Amino acid sequence: SGFGYSGASAAFFSGASQTKTLEDEWLRLSALATPAISNIANGDYYLIKTRQKNVPFDLYVIHITDVVETTDDNADYIEFSYKGG
């Protein structure tokens, strides 16, 4: 069923270097996961499980590096870096 999102930390993002690290953190935080993210802000970290069937690994930790919201056009965007997948 869809995506799962949970908060993550800067320390976790920095130290996430192996698949098992992401899997262990997901097991620890999955009960807090939500199906959507709201109020995304620069500097946020998220652990995301995509639940894709056609990929060998479906966990990502994402660091939001920029959020631009415009009110008069569709030029909004979010920049991020990630590990996993």
Side-chain angles (χ1 to χ4, degrees):
S1 70
F3 296 90
Y5 305 95
S6 187
S9 69
F12 176 73
F13 184 85
S14 295
S17 61
Q18 297 180 354
T19 300
K20 180 146 178 39
T21 305
L22 294 176
E23 290 170 339
D24 289 348
E25 189 72 352
W26 181 257
L27 288 174
R28 191 176 77 77
L29 296 174
S30 62
L32 304 173
T34 61
I37 300 173
S38 59
N39 301 318
I40 295 173
N42 188 20
D44 286 351
Y45 293 85
Y46 297 98
L47 185 60
I48 297 176
K49 185 171 185 77
T50 65
R51 295 186 176 98
Q52 292 174 272
K53 303 274 189 245
N54 60 343
V55 295
F57 190 68
D58 65 346
L59 282 169
Y60 301 85
V61 60
I62 294 176
H63 174 214
I64 306 300
T65 57
D66 197 16
V67 177
V68 173
E69 294 183 78
T70 59
T71 57
D72 58 349
D73 58 29
N74 285 328
D76 307 337
Y77 64 89
I78 297 172
E79 291 180 354
F80 60 91
S81 58
Y82 73 94
K83 295 181 180 182

